[in-house]
Amino acid sequence: MPPEPFFAGAGIDRADALRNRPEAVAALLASPEARAILWADGIPALDSAGALTWGEVTGNEPLFLGLDHGNPRFAALPGSAAGAGARAILGQLDPTDAPLFAAALSLSSWHLRHGFCSVCGSPSDMFRGGWARRCPSCGGEHYPRVDPVVIMLATFEDRLLLGRQPIYPPGRYSALAGFVEPGETIEAAVARELHEEAGIKVTDVCYFASQPWPFPSSLMIGCTANATGDALVIDHDELDDARWFTRDEVAAALSGDPTAPFLAPPRFAIARTLLDHWIGDA
Ligand SMILES: [Zn+2]
C-alpha cells in the first residue's frame, strides 16, 4: 500500500449537528471534560512527543472543534496569528494529531483575518460554534475558506518533473504546485500550472490524494499527469529550476542517500507522498 498523506488521519468527530445549537455547545463548554488547545506564538503548542497540548477552556467565544471519544474539544483564538516559522513545527507533530492541528490553526487564522463583513465592512460575529460569522448590519453569512491548490507529478518516459522554488532549502526539489483559479477544474489547473511554470503540455491528469495545509487555509490536491514532451521552458519568476529525474535518482533522494541529486521534500508534505507512491509503483 502506498503511504497516506501526513494529514490523512481520522481526526475527531466534528459534531456538525451540535454547532447550530448554542445551548448544546454551552453545555459542552461547561462540562468538566471540556479542554482547549494551548497555543504558543499563534501555533498549537506541542508536547515533547509531538502531541497537541490541552488546558482549561478560556476566552469568550472558543471554537468548538468537536468531540474526542465524547469529550468536548475547543480552541480559544490565539492572541496573534502564526508567524513565518509555523511550518517548522510540522517536523515534530504527531501525525495522529495532524488533522486537529490543521483544523484549529486554519479556523483560528480565518477568524483573526476576517473580523469584518466582506459585503458591507461592518464588524461580524461568530456563530455555529465558530464555524461561521454573521454580519449584524447586512445579515451576510461568511464561512471559513478553503483554498484549493493543485500539486502534481508530471512524467515523461519514466522520468519525473520536479522544481525548485526560491524559498526551498538548498538542494530541495519538489512537485510543482499552484492555486486553482475561479472557473477552473482541478484537471485544467494542473495542465495550466505545468505549462506556465515548465512549458510542458500534459494529458491524463489523475487525482491521487489530498491533504489540508493550514498556512493559512490551503487544501493540497495531489495529482499525476503524462507529459507529451520533455522540453522545458522554465518560468524563473516562479521557479529557480525544474528538471527531469530518473526513478533511480528519486529513489536515492527518498532514501536520504547523500549522493542523491536532490533533497526530497519532508514527510509532512504531500509531495513526499506522491514521490513515495511513484517509486512504489515501479
Ligand atoms: Zn455586512
Side-chain angles (χ1 to χ4, degrees), residues 117-122 135-140 142:
C117 176
S118 58
V119 177
C120 75
S122 301
C135 175
S137 178
C138 75
H142 307 284

Side-chain angles (χ1 to χ4, degrees), residues 9-33:
I12 63 172
D13 175 6
R14 293 179 173 227
D16 174 73
L18 298 175
R19 292 174 183 167
N20 267 338
R21 296 171 50 206
E23 74 291 351
V25 174
L28 292 169
L29 202 51
S31 157
E33 308 302 328

